[in-house]
Structure formats: C-alpha cells, structure tokens
C-alpha cells in the first residue's frame, strides 16, 4: 500500500482503485488528467472513489494519487459576490481557463490568491487568543466586514500581528509557538464547525412575504422545507427569500437545477438593492451552482460546501440564510452513487441512510453562541421537488420530520395564478410560540390574536366552499356570504403577492399587520352595516375598499393605510344609511 | 491497442456483451464487433475493470456469439461535424441515410457534450413568434429556451411541432432557423410525415435529420439525441446559426434507458426507470441556450407522450423539473375538434415573464395574457358548477365568464394548421374576445391599456 494506487475499475462516476493507502473521505486525483475524487468506501485493498468530473476515456491502470486531505473549502475574504461550482471552484475562473464549456482536470482555488485585502488588526501583541476569536477585520464588501478569526482548535499568545494589505495566504499574525495565521483557513465540508452552544430561536427571519411572515413565520436559526411540484414557484420563492429576507449573509445553492436560472440570478442580483441596507444584494451573497448536467458527485458535495461557508459567516456573529434549491436533486445524487456502489436500497431506490443525511444537514442550522461568545445563526430553507407533487415520497417525508416550518406549494393555486402558491391550509410553522414575544414587543400587542383571526377565517372559508360547490353561494345566509367576501379579500389582497412588482414584492411586518387589521376592520364595519339594514352588495362594493386593496402597489402605503381605512369605514356606513 | 481483436466474450445479455480480461480499455470507449457472417456492429464501454469489460451494443446483440470478434477503437464516440451536415439525413448512429456521400469532417466532436458553465451563459430574452396564438400569448417561446410538448398517444403533437418549425421566426430580426430533427423510435409513417412536410415547404434544405425508427435498435436511441445535439452545438456555437432542435419521442428514449438499466441489473427507481434518469435527461435538455460571445443559439422543442395521459409519470415529471416550462396537449380539447388542442392552464413558459413587453412583443401583452388566463380558468371551473346547479343559478359575472371560456376555445385556441397569426393579431383577438365581458370584471387589465386597446373604448 502506498499513497499512489492504480485504477482497477470505472463505472460512470464511481472508480475503484487498488493499492491505495487511503482513509475514508480522502480527496484523491484520478487518472492521467488528475480528476478530483473522494474515497467513499474501502473494501480490503480496494478503495471506491466518487469522481467529481466526467470519467469518459479514463482507463484501468492509470494512477490514483492520494492527497491525504479531506474535501475542504477555503474560507476567507473573497467568498462574497462569488459564484462557485459544487466543489468551490469559481465559475468565472473556470470560464477563463476552459472557455464556455466545463471540461476536466482543471483545478482552481476557491479564494483569489493574488488579490490583496486591507487587514485591520483588533487584537494586539501579547493578547491570549483562542479558536474562533477575532484578530482583525477586512472590509470585504461595502456592507460586510469580514472578521478574521483564529481557526478552531488553535490557541496561544500573539507574538506579532500587523495591519496592511495582504493576500489571503500571507501571514498576518504569529503566535508564540510559531504558528503562522493567514486570513484564509480551510475546513472539511462534511464536519460541522464548532460553537459554544445552541440557543432556542426567538427572532423571526423577516422575508417581506406576507403569507410567510404573518401566518407561517420562520425563526432565525430555524429550518424550513418548501416542497412543490414543478411550475408551482419553488425557485421564485427561494429567489425572493434570497433577495428580501433580513439575513446579513445569503448563501444560495443551485443544486442540480437549470443553468439559465443561475444565469438569471447572476444577471439580476448585482442590479437589485437590498431593502435592509440600500446596497446591491450581491454584496452579501455567495452562490453555488451545480446545474443538473454538471457532474453528479459534485452535486452531492455542493450542499456541504454551501453550509460550511454559511457556518463560517455564522461564526463571525452574522445571521446567515442558506437556500438549497433543490434538496431532492441532492438526494438523487446520493441515490445515483449508492446504486453504482450496489448498496442495498431503501425506499424508492434511495439509500437507507437518506433520512439520516437529511437530518445531519438540517441540524447544521441553528442559532448559536459562537466560540467568541457572539450570537450568530444559520437558517436553512430547503426546496424539495417531490415526483408528481406527491409529498409521501422519502425526501419530502425525511425533510418534514426535521424541519419546523413547512411551506407547501400547491399546483392548483399556481394554476389559478395565485402566487406565492403556498397552501394556507396545509402549511405550518411551529415557531409562533417562541416568536410571539418578538411580534408583541416590536409590532403590536395583539399581533398573535390578529393572526389567529385571519387563519381561522381562511379555515371557515374552506368549509363554506364545500357547500358552495354544491348549492352556489346565493343559497348561503348573508353573514356567511360576508365571510366568503372577507376571506376572498384575505386571499387576493393579503396572501397574493407579486414577486416581480417593484413595491408589492416586499412588505414589512408592520405593514402586514396593518393590512390584516384593515381586513378585519372591513369585516366588523360591514357586519354592523348589514345589521343596520345595508345590502351586502352595496356594502362590499364600496369604492374605498378597492382603493385600499389597489394602493398596496403604490408607494407610501404604510402612511396612507390609516386614511384609506377611515375612508372605507365612512363609505360602508353611508351604504347602510342609503336604505 | 486499436486493431487488436478479442474473442473473449463470456456473457451476452440483452443489449450487453461481457468480455473477459483485455488490455486496459477506457470508460466510454467505442467498440466494433465483427460477427461470424462478416457483419459489423458498434458499441460502447459501460463498465471497465482489469478483469471484465461490459459493452453496450447499439444495434442489438442478435447474431452475437462467444466467437464474435471485439475491437476497441481507442476513442470515445465522436461525430464528424461540418457545415455540410445541413440538408442531410443521417441514421440513428450518424451514418448517411439519404444515399449521399459520407460527411467530410471539419472536426470531430465528443457526443457526450460538456456542461455549459452557468457563468458563460447569456440569459435568453428574444421572442420567437410561432404564429400559434395559444403559444405566443400564453406560453411564449424564447430563443434559447427548452420548451417540451407534453402530449399523449393519438394527439396531434406532430402537427403542432411542424407548424412551429414552419412558422417560427424572430420578430426583432430576419434571421432564420436551422432545424435539427431527431427521431427516436417513432414509426416510419410518422417519420415520412415529418420528412414530406419539411420537403414540401423547402425546410429540408435547412435541416439536419437524425433518424432512429421504431424497428431500429433501441440502444441506438441513447446516442441519437446526443448526435443531434452535438450537431446543433456545432452549428450554433461554431457556425453562428440559430438552431431549433425538435426531438421526438423522449418517452421512447427513456424506455431504452430503462432497458439498458434492467440488462445491467441496476437498482431501479420509480416505475423501473433508472435512478439516474434525471441527470441523464438533464444532459440532453441542458444543451440549449445562448452563450456569451457567440452569435448562435439552441432552442429545444422536445416532444414526449405521457403514458396513460399521466403528467405525474416519471418521464414528464422529471422533464418538467428540467425544462423551462411545458406545452400540454389536451385530449378533451382534441375530442371537441379544436386544433391546436393546447390546454393553457397547466402549460407554462418560464422565460416568458422576462421576455414579453414593449420592446419585444407589445406593452399590453403581460396583462392581456394574465387576464385571458384568469378568465378562462374561472370559466372552465364554472362548467363543473353549471353541470350541477344549471346556468340560471349563476350570477351575471359568472355567466359572462362561462360564455367567454367557450369563445376562448373556439376563436382563440382554434386556428388552421397553416394559419400564421402575428403577435399583434393575436393580442387584438384577445381584446375582441375580452370585450364580451364587462370591463369591471376584468380586474387584471391596466386602465391605460383598456383606454388604448379595448374595442369599445378605443380612442382612434
């Protein structure tokens, strides 16, 4: 056995080597072209390797070289605004090196090794430092200060530290035991980065999407699953979250999805403004794109690459949101590799370890006390693409067992062009209890009650609709007809939101609350007016109600809403008096 | 090593041949088999190790025995590419089928095709006018898009594909399309239908045909679309053509994939299809698009028949997750005598939103399309209610919507196979039909476009 072995067998992305002295998950270079691979199984003297590049043309007998390292990412300044493939090769660099198409055997550093960054020390000579402690900062983008931290598990006293312009591999700090610390550190992707302890989440991740923030809120540090059939708007929802959520850092993983979609994100994001900072969104974003036709093993790795980068920013004390679109493609990559390994399959051909891998991944989300004692979080939002939209399949079920928020996308709603097509009847969030205090303190004391009223109205509507299907709405008593009107208002005015409309795409929580309240005001006033003898038709058709609804597409809504509601109240009262 | 002939076949199973120890053979290498009667077959290495090589034989293994000679050609499968491909008809393995000379290659291209770097892609934004109202208005086709037709047996998907091939044009420029047509396991009759139509309209001179028919070997079907797409990539990205790739029928392709999987005793996924079918299909569908710095483009128009009209079947399901939308053909509409029987409700074009508008189609396109769609969807839903409670029980708004849904099918969807409507004609037709509904119910229309385009309000 030696560090170098030979190829024994090749079957698609799975290569078997003999004579290789390897540990599990060692990264190896396969064949004359040095294709990158990872050891995933050991059988006696044979090592099974998954290769991250196409293996056509590779022959038995070609060399395999063990690097002795596990699959790791480079962490440091230069991550933000970058777009990577599944194994952290920057796509712009790959285009420079190989042109339009992705060919093989090209290696590229995750971080630019030439570029100089201005390092400003915050620690000084003689300071005792431990793993995770900040020793200095780099202003990486306009909005994000990148903290340079002592790598975990390292500690000592600073012998020297200097500010100035450095590349990521140059030493900026030396410890008394001679350890040299550069701005770049490496971390194996399959190992979660350490922290002090996990906290219960207590702050919502504000997304600006009314149905999410108001009815099914997600906490910073929580995990959510978005299952939905094709065409139901998973990607649009994920992209809206990447654009408008109030995370400080966004990691967006395009895992086994369409090439053109990633291109669209690349074209669009630099021109979009972050509503929370007023600066381009790209400044806080890291993208990972392993499209459906890129090598499947690299797709398997892409979610780990992404979450490791997310954890790294969490360790600086940032709130990070990670979107994975789609985790089903990741699961399929596991299935493909598992079947090449001739493993005994579990449900629907997926490997038996599918649900534990899903759980391990989602468990890397959380709100933590960092090694330095700061508060940081990773929120994970995973899209799931269930075959035929049927969520009884293993990936959806494995996901739902772990996540606390379920945003169920629905084909019939999408077909009615009700967007976001999130079904309000079967979606859920288990966070309201832990978040209600935040809503009470920051928005309004009766926020939880208003939410309950809105959701129960929708529930009642669903029951009434069943009757309407049979007998028509005219056969219902007036008060129930009014309930249907109010519920329609909730659906069309509140739940529906145009992700592509300049103003409607983002609604702050306070405005959401006022909109919900306006609907309930309408209900109360209309009920009173009808009891006073008004006709349902006159009452619900007051022009001020349409004005109220339409005005959400115009600016200054937050300041105008009060006036619009007052006007509506007046008109409803007038409509009652006419009779 | 090329030139050495092995006679070490141990097993033959379905389309697969297993050989004992050979010199090291490359994964994906091309193989030539010489049968005892002197005939030749081609194959490709699927699995290779020091002890055993598995070869997939494209022409099927009929006549292969243990004395068959096997020669490894030392290279992966390549297609000779040249501008001379245009106007030619080739078989499913890339050999001339039209009696013409061999293609003189300007280069050889690996048929597996590498993935386009997403960073090197250019977002597609050019409107393709197909002249079919339902497509142009509701599921707009965009240059560089992959938009499949989800059809089923007995439906006129071929007519629609041909009509698109005939009529597709860019309104922004007068550049023409080159059609690359790829037949996978269709019948000779269907093929003749395509061929004679292309011939009659003169389109054949600007087309390349790759033909694998129903009685050609199923395994060959796995390379036919790769050949077609390799030719398309060459024409688009080396020769600056705008290429429209039509391939039919993806369902036959997937069945061939399943056949190989079963012969290799792989663990099957849903309905017996291999677990890697998503990736495999993606390697076809993703070979569409535009790239920075190149003039040409590839637009894909795959046709697939949904087994049992079931859109949740793995083939349409996985396709829908990869392609940028779908055009769904409806048996119900076809049954009511409507051509083209496109059901716009489950149909979708993902690139439409970023394309349509003042610069490409018309300023009112977005809201017209939304309103047409919404009104038709509501009208269709009311049909179910009317069946129970009768039309009299409807209120005025619902009555108008119901009658609109009939007009939508009869006037908007229905058009002749040779009727080429411009986008202006299509949108004007929409306004005419919508004028049958009172304006106060048309909530998705912007007032400014009502003032400008509504036939009753139109200010001349």
């Amino acid at each position: 056995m030696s560090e170098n072995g030979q190829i024994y067998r090749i079957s698609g992305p799975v290569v078997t080597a003999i004579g290789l002295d390897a540990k599990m998950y060692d990264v190896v270079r396969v064949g004359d072209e040095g294709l990158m691979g990872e050891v995933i199984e050991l059988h006696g003297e044979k090592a099974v390797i998954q290769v991250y590049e196409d293996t056509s043309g590779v022959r038995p007998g070609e060399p395999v070289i063990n690097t002795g390292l596990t699959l790791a990412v480079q962490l440091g300044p230069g991550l933000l605004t970058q777009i990577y493939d599944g194994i952290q090769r920057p796509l712009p660099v790959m285009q420079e090196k190989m042109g339009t198409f992705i060919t093989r055997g090209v290696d590229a550093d995750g971080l630019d090794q030439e570029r100089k960054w201005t390092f400003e020390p915050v620690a000084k000579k003689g300071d005792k430092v431990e793993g995770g402690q900040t020793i200095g900062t780099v202003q990486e983008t306009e909005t994000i200060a990148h903290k340079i931290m002592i790598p975990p598990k390292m500690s000592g006293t600073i012998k020297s530290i200097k500010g100035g312009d450095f590349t990521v591999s140059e030493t900026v700090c030396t410890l008394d035991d001679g350890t040299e610390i550069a701005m770049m550190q490496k971390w194996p992707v399959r190992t979660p980065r350490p922290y002090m302890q996990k906290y219960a989440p207590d702050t919502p991740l504000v997304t600006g999407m009314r149905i999410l923030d108001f009815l099914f809120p997600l906490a910073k540090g929580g995990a959510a699953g978005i299952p939905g059939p094709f065409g139901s708007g998973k990607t649009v929802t994920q992209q809206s979250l990447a654009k408008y959520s109030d995370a400080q850092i966004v990691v967006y993983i395009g895992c086994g999805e369409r090439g053109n979609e990633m291109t669209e994100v690349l074209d669009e994001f630099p021109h979009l403004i972050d509503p929370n900072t007023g600066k381009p969104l790209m400044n806080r974003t890291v993208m990972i794109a392993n499209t459906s036709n890129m090598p499947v093993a690299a797709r398997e790795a892409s979610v780990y690459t992404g979450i490791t980068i997310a954890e790294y920013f969490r360790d600086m004390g940032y709130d990070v949101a990670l979107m994975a679109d789609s985790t089903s493609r990741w699961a399929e990559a596991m299935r493909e590799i598992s079947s090449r390994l001739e493993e005994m399959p579990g449900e629907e051909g997926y490997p038996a370890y599918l649900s534990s891998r899903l759980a391990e991944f989602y468990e890397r989300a959380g709100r933590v006390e960092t090694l330095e004692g700061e508060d940081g979080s990773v929120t994970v939002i995973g899209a799931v693409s269930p075959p035929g939209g049927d969520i009884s399949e293993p990936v959806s079920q494995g996901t739902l067992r772990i996540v606390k928020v379920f945003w169920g996308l629905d084909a019939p709603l999408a077909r009615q062009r009700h967007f976001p097509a999130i079904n309000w009847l079967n979606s859920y969030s288990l966070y309201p209890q832990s978040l209600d205090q935040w809503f009470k303190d920051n928005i309004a004391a009766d926020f939880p009650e208003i939410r309950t009223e809105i959701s129960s109205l929708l529930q009642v509507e669903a029951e009434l609709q069943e009757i309407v299907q049979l007998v028509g709405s005219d056969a219902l008593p007036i008060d129930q007809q009014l309930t249907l009107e109010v519920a329609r208002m909730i659906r069309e005015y509140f739940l529906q939101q145009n992700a592509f409309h300049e103003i409607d795409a983002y609604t702050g929580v306070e405005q959401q609350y006022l909109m919900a309240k306006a609907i309930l005001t309408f209900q109360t006033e209309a009920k009173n007016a009808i009891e006073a003898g008004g006709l349902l038709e006159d009452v619900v058709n007051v022009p001020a109600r349409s004005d109220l609804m339409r005005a959400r597409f115009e600016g200054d809504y937050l300041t105008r809403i009060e006036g619009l509601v007052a006007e509506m109240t007046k008109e409803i009262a007038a409509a009652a008096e006419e009779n | 090593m090329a030139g050495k002939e092995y006679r070490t076949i141990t097993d033959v199973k379905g389309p697969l041949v297993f050989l004992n120890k050979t010199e090291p053979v490359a994964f994906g290498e091309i193989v030539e088999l010489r049968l005892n009667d002197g005939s030749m077959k081609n194959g490709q290495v699927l699995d290779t190790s020091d002890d055993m090589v598995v070869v997939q034989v494209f022409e099927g293994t009929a006549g292969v025995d243990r004395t068959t000679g096997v020669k490894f050609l030392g290279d992966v499968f390549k297609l000779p590419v040249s501008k001379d491909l245009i106007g030619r008809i080739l078989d499913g393995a890339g050999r001339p089928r039209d009696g013409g000379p061999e293609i003189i290659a300007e280069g050889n291209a690996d048929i597996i095709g590498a993935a386009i770097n997403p960073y090197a892609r250019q977002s597609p934004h050019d409107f393709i006018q197909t002249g079919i109202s339902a497509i142009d208005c509701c599921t707009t086709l965009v240059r560089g898009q992959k938009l499949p037709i989800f059809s089923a047996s007995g439906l006129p998907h071929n007519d629609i594909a041909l009509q698109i091939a005939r009529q597709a044009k860019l309104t922004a420029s007068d550049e023409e399309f080159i059609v690359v047509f790829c037949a996978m396991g269709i019948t000779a009759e269907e093929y003749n239908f395509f061929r004679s139509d292309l011939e009659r309209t003169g389109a054949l001179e600007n087309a390349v045909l790759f033909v694998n028919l129903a009685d050609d070997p199923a395994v060959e079907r796995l390379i036919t679309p790769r050949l077609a797409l390799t030719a398309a990539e060459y024409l688009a990205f080396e020769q600056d053509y705008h290429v429209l790739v039509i391939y039919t029928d993806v369902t036959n392709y997937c069945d061939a994939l399943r056949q190989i999987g079963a012969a290799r005793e792989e663990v099957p996924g849903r309905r017996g299809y291999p677990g890697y079918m998503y990736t495999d299909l993606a390697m076809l569908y993703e070979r569409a698009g535009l790239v920075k710095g190149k003039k040409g483009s590839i637009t894909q128009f795959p046709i697939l028949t949904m087994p049992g009209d079931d859109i949740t079947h793995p083939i349409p399901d996985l396709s829908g997750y990869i392609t940028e939308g779908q055009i769904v053909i409806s048996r119900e509409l076809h049954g009511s005598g409507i051509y083209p029987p496109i059901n716009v409700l489950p149909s979708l074009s993902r690139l439409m939103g970023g394309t349509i508008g003042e610069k490409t189609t018309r300023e009112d396109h977005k809201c017209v399309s939304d309103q047409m769609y919404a009104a038709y969807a509501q009208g269709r839903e009311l049909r179910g209610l009317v069946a129970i409670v009768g039309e009299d029980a409807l209120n005025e708004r619902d009555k108008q919507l119901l009658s609109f849904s009939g007009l939508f099918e009869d006037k908007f969807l229905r058009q002749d196979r040779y009727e080429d409507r411009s986008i202006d004609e299509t949108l004007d037709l929409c306004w005419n039909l919508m004028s049958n509904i009172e304006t106060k119910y048309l909530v998705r229309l912007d007032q400014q476009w009502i003032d400008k385009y509504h036939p009753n309000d139109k200010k001349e």
Side-chain angles (χ1 to χ4, degrees):
Chain A
M1 296 282 225
S2 71
E3 273 186 16
N4 299 347
Q6 271 191 343
I7 298 178
Y8 167 75
R9 178 183 171 189
I10 304 142
S11 170
V14 174
V15 167
T16 312
I18 45 172
L20 188 71
D21 184 14
K23 299 187 298 293
M24 281 292 275
Y25 299 116
D26 274 353
V27 169
V28 294
R29 298 278 166 189
V30 175
D32 296 334
E33 288 177 271
L35 310 181
M36 189 167 166
E38 193 179 6
V39 175
I40 52 170
E41 219 174 81
L42 297 169
H43 285 298
E45 61 164 6
K46 286 180 191 155
V48 182
I49 299 158
Q50 64 173 352
V51 180
Y52 293 120
E53 298 176 81
D54 177 39
T55 52
S56 298
V58 177
R59 291 168 201 278
E62 288 184 22
V64 178
I65 298 165
N66 189 359
T67 63
L69 304 167
T70 52
L71 186 64
V73 284
Q74 300 183 347
L75 301 167
L79 287 168
L80 293 173
T81 74
Q82 190 54 274
I83 176 164
Y84 293 112
D85 78 346
I87 45 176
Q88 213 209 3
R89 296 184 296 181
L91 292 176
V93 175
M94 289 169 81
Q95 189 198 10
E96 225 169 81
K97 286 191 175 175
M98 24 180 159
T100 303
F101 294 94
I102 295 176
T103 50
R104 311 185 297 189
V106 179
D107 204 10
D109 279 302
L111 296 181
D112 189 338
Q113 299 293 320
E114 309 288 313
R115 180 163 173 188
K116 295 212 174 215
W117 299 92
T118 308
F119 174 74
E120 289 171 31
V122 294
K124 55 184 189 304
K125 190 178 167 187
D127 282 359
K128 277 185 100 63
V129 288
E130 281 181 14
Q133 198 165 329
T134 306
I135 53 168
T137 59
V138 168
Q139 195 65 36
E140 187 176 351
T141 64
E142 238 179 319
T143 42
I144 302 295
H146 191 117
K147 294 185 186 166
I148 306 300
M149 298 171 289
I150 301 281
K153 292 176 197 161
M154 208 178 268
S155 62
T157 309
I158 295 178
K159 195 162 89 186
S160 71
I161 184 164
K162 52 192 171 176
D165 292 351
F166 299 99
T167 67
V168 288
S169 328
E170 283 170 343
T171 305
V172 292
C173 171
T174 319
L175 301 184
D176 52 4
D177 63 358
T179 312
E180 295 187 338
I181 293 169
M183 290 193 273
M184 177 176 80
Q185 47 176 288
K186 287 186 181 175
W187 190 262
V189 297
R190 294 183 198 279
T191 314
R193 284 175 63 88
Y195 50 83
M196 299 294 275
Q197 58 170 324
K198 268 195 184 175
Y199 292 131
D202 63 0
T203 313
L205 181 83
V206 175
T207 66
M209 287 168 83
R210 295 187 286 264
I211 184 165
L212 304 188
D213 292 346
F214 195 80
L215 290 182
F216 311 111
L218 171 60
K220 285 196 174 115
I226 318 184
F230 64 81
S232 60
K234 273 188 305 299
T235 301
V236 175
T237 309
Q238 288 274 38
Q239 289 184 5
S240 289
L241 290 168
K243 288 176 201 167
Y244 302 120
S245 67
D246 68 344
Q248 289 155 306
I249 304 283
V250 168
V251 179
Y252 191 94
I253 310 173
C255 174
E257 290 287 305
R258 303 175 183 89
N260 275 336
E261 267 167 11
M262 290 317 295
T263 311
E264 204 183 294
V265 172
L266 282 173
D267 284 353
E268 197 185 8
F269 272 37
H271 306 293
L272 289 173
I273 300 299
D274 179 352
N276 302 299
T277 61
K279 296 288 192 287
L281 269 177
M282 220 42 203
N283 284 345
R284 63 163 194 186
T285 312
V286 184
M287 270 188 279
I288 293 164
N290 212 83
T291 58
S292 52
N293 57 339
M294 281 157 78
V296 66
R299 193 201 300 166
E300 195 271 332
S302 65
V303 297
Y304 293 107
T305 300
I307 193 123
T308 308
I309 292 173
E311 284 175 340
Y312 173 67
F313 281 103
R314 172 203 70 190
D315 291 346
M316 295 178 207
Y318 286 118
D319 290 318
V320 186
L322 177 135
M323 286 93 196
D325 184 15
S326 152
T327 57
S328 292
R329 306 301 162 227
W330 170 48
E332 278 162 17
M334 281 191 247
R335 172 166 74 182
E336 193 168 331
I337 290 166
S338 158
S339 107
R340 302 258 186 201
L341 295 176
E342 292 165 11
E343 290 175 342
M344 182 73 78
E347 217 176 328
E348 289 194 24
Y350 285 105
Y353 46 80
L354 171 72
S355 58
S356 56
R357 290 276 169 90
L358 283 169
E360 279 163 24
F361 168 67
Y362 281 105
E363 202 46 30
R364 290 175 76 169
R367 187 175 148 241
V368 304
E369 182 189 348
T370 65
L371 294 180
E372 205 176 10
E374 300 270 325
D375 198 9
S377 69
V378 174
T379 313
V380 174
I381 301 153
V384 185
S385 317
D390 173 11
I391 61 162
S392 65
E393 55 90 38
V395 185
S396 305
Q397 288 305 313
T399 306
L400 289 181
R401 279 210 302 276
I402 313 154
V403 299
K404 287 191 164 178
V405 175
F406 168 63
W407 294 327
L409 290 161
D410 201 48
L413 282 178
R415 231 170 277 149
Q416 290 161 28
R417 297 292 192 262
H418 174 110
F419 287 115
I422 293 167
N423 186 323
W424 51 89
L425 296 173
N426 70 6
S427 298
Y428 61 80
S429 163
L430 299 179
Y431 287 116
Q433 278 147 351
S434 36
L435 299 178
D436 275 353
Q437 199 55 46
W438 185 93
F439 285 117
K440 283 184 198 164
D441 293 348
N442 291 279
I443 308 295
D446 62 346
F447 190 96
E449 286 83 58
I450 302 282
R451 175 171 52 219
T452 313
E453 273 187 66
I454 294 284
S455 57
S456 57
L457 269 167
L458 290 166
Q459 199 65 49
V460 171
E461 186 207 20
E463 286 157 24
L464 290 178
Q465 282 295 354
E466 282 175 23
I467 304 172
V468 171
Q469 288 298 320
L470 293 175
V471 298
S473 60
D474 287 352
L476 293 179
I478 295 292
D479 62 326
Q480 293 189 341
Q481 289 190 35
L482 177 65
T483 306
L484 286 180
E485 269 301 318
V486 175
R488 191 163 70 91
M489 197 168 164
I490 298 175
R491 283 188 283 114
E492 291 179 1
Y493 159 69
F494 191 73
L495 299 184
Q496 278 189 30
Q497 196 169 355
N498 186 344
F500 301 104
H501 192 281
E502 211 182 322
I503 290 165
D504 197 35
Y506 178 86
T507 308
V509 184
E510 191 186 347
Q511 187 183 324
Q512 295 180 14
Y513 167 78
L514 291 174
M515 287 170 80
K517 243 187 124 122
I519 296 171
L520 296 177
T521 308
F522 168 77
Q523 186 189 27
T524 318
E525 297 299 330
K527 204 183 253 170
N528 292 342
I530 290 166
E531 274 166 13
L535 293 174
L536 177 72
E537 173 125 352
D538 296 340
V539 169
V540 299
N541 285 329
V542 295
R545 179 184 164 210
S546 325
D547 292 344
L548 173 76
M549 290 172 63
R550 205 170 298 135
R552 73 175 194 273
F553 294 111
E554 294 154 18
D556 303 328
Y557 194 48
L558 196 55
T559 47
R560 289 177 55 206
I561 191 162
E562 203 178 331
L564 288 162
V565 171
E567 177 63 26
M568 181 180 72
T569 311
K570 211 161 73 191
E571 286 187 17
I572 292 175
E577 271 166 32
E578 271 169 36
N579 281 279
Chain B
M1 188 177 47
K4 218 180 214 177
E5 197 174 276
Y6 293 92
R7 288 176 186 273
T8 54
I9 293 180
T10 56
D11 296 35
V12 182
K13 194 158 67 177
L16 303 183
V17 166
F18 297 75
L19 277 90
N20 255 348
K21 196 159 173 64
T22 57
E23 296 285 311
V25 201
F27 178 73
E29 192 168 333
I30 287 304
V31 181
E32 223 174 58
L33 290 88
R34 181 190 301 278
L35 272 57
N36 285 338
D37 61 2
S39 64
M40 306 293 287
K41 287 177 187 285
N42 293 299
Q44 189 175 12
V45 175
L46 279 190
D47 197 330
T48 168
S49 70
D50 284 354
D51 310 325
M52 173 78 80
V53 176
V54 183
V55 175
Q56 152 187 334
V57 183
F58 297 132
E59 291 90 345
T61 46
V64 175
D65 64 11
R66 294 181 57 184
T67 59
T68 298
V70 180
K71 208 174 191 178
F72 296 96
L73 301 185
D75 204 354
V76 293
F77 209 121
K78 293 200 163 151
L79 175 74
V81 287
S82 144
K83 246 173 133 164
D84 298 339
L85 281 169
I86 298 170
R88 297 296 303 269
I89 303 176
L90 308 170
D91 72 2
R95 292 168 297 230
R97 191 192 162 99
D98 51 6
E102 291 286 327
I103 308 290
I104 297 174
E106 282 164 33
N108 283 298
D110 184 350
I111 67 155
I112 299 298
I116 300 176
N117 185 332
Y119 190 77
R121 279 183 186 267
Q122 195 185 325
S123 288
H125 288 301
D126 296 322
F127 166 62
I128 297 178
Q129 179 180 299
T130 65
I132 298 175
S133 292
I135 296 177
D136 288 350
C137 173
C138 301
T139 51
T140 312
L141 178 64
V142 180
R143 181 161 68 179
Q145 187 172 18
K146 39 196 179 287
L147 189 62
I149 299 185
F150 284 9
S151 187
S153 47
L155 297 179
H157 41 265
N158 291 342
D159 295 77
I160 298 173
L162 276 170
Q163 189 169 2
I164 290 166
R166 267 195 311 270
Q167 298 180 173
K169 59 177 156 293
L170 292 160
T171 48
S173 66
D174 52 3
E175 291 165 293
E176 297 247 325
F177 284 100
I178 294 275
V179 174
V180 171
F181 176 77
C182 168
M184 301 179 282
I186 60 172
T187 61
E189 199 181 321
E190 277 179 289
Y191 162 63
N192 286 334
F193 175 73
F194 270 104
R195 191 191 147 151
S196 63
D197 192 277
L198 291 171
E199 218 160 28
R200 193 163 39 82
T201 55
L204 198 58
E205 288 164 33
N206 276 323
V208 192
L209 275 60
F210 290 86
V211 185
N212 166 283
L213 296 183
D215 57 351
D216 288 332
V219 188
E220 193 182 87
R221 248 158 249 168
L222 297 179
I223 55 167
T224 312
R226 296 193 157 79
L227 294 169
L229 289 165
T230 305
E233 272 170 3
Y234 173 79
L235 293 172
F237 302 137
E238 307 282 327
Q239 299 293 340
D240 296 341
Y241 286 105
H242 295 294
V243 183
L244 184 65
V245 184
I246 300 175
Y247 46 108
T248 178
D249 178 337
V250 176
T251 306
N252 294 336
Y253 172 83
C254 293
D255 284 351
L257 206 61
R258 177 165 68 176
Q259 198 180 329
I260 291 287
R264 294 184 66 189
E265 295 178 356
E266 290 169 345
V267 179
R270 272 206 306 156
R271 303 221 184 173
Y273 291 99
Y276 50 80
M277 193 158 86
Y278 177 82
T279 308
D280 194 277
L281 284 173
M283 288 176 74
L284 302 182
Y285 294 139
E286 277 289 332
R287 291 171 83 174
L290 283 72
V291 296
K292 288 176 193 152
K294 310 258 170 153
K295 278 199 202 127
S297 66
I298 299 178
T299 309
Q300 281 191 23
F301 224 74
I303 299 171
L304 65 87
T305 49
M306 300 181 280
D309 295 11
D310 177 10
I311 200 169
T312 66
H313 184 280
I315 298 170
D317 191 53
L318 294 180
S319 297
Y321 277 121
I322 309 165
T323 55
E324 284 142 352
Q326 66 276 342
I327 293 172
V328 181
I329 312 286
S330 149
R331 193 174 296 282
E332 189 195 332
L333 288 170
H334 180 62
S336 348
I338 289 163
Y339 174 89
I342 295 171
N343 184 357
V344 300
L345 299 182
S347 299
L348 171 76
S349 165
R350 289 170 189 271
L351 302 182
M352 177 176 173
T355 300
I356 60 171
E358 198 181 345
K359 288 192 191 118
T360 49
T361 55
R362 212 166 78 179
E363 55 204 2
D364 56 331
H365 189 162
K366 173 91 178 71
C367 78
V368 167
S369 154
D370 284 352
Q371 184 61 66
M372 288 288 283
Y373 187 97
Y376 179 59
Q378 288 167 23
R380 282 265 301 230
E381 214 162 90
L382 287 165
R383 287 183 193 170
L385 185 61
V386 165
I388 303 171
V389 299
E391 202 170 331
D392 291 344
L394 298 185
N395 60 27
E396 188 50 36
R397 170 175 177 269
D398 289 354
K399 277 182 190 153
Q400 291 180 11
L401 286 171
L402 181 70
S403 103
F404 172 80
S405 72
L407 286 172
F408 183 95
E409 290 168 4
D410 193 44
K411 306 279 186 211
F412 174 74
L413 286 186
R414 189 196 296 280
Q415 70 184 85
D416 190 79
R417 283 169 169 74
Y418 287 88
E419 186 180 352
D420 189 357
R421 293 185 193 151
S422 74
I423 183 68
D424 275 320
E425 284 167 351
T426 293
L427 293 174
D428 288 344
L429 173 66
C430 294
W431 281 102
N432 270 325
L433 295 177
M434 288 189 296
S435 69
N436 291 293
I437 305 174
E438 277 179 76
T439 318
K440 67 174 177 192
Y441 300 134
L442 300 173
V443 290
R444 290 176 192 248
L445 294 178
D446 279 359
Q447 192 58 44
Q448 50 172 331
W449 310 138
I450 295 179
D451 293 345
K452 190 164 173 190
Y453 293 106
H454 197 288
N456 303 344
D457 291 10
K458 212 166 177 172
K459 297 180 178 83
E460 292 303 327

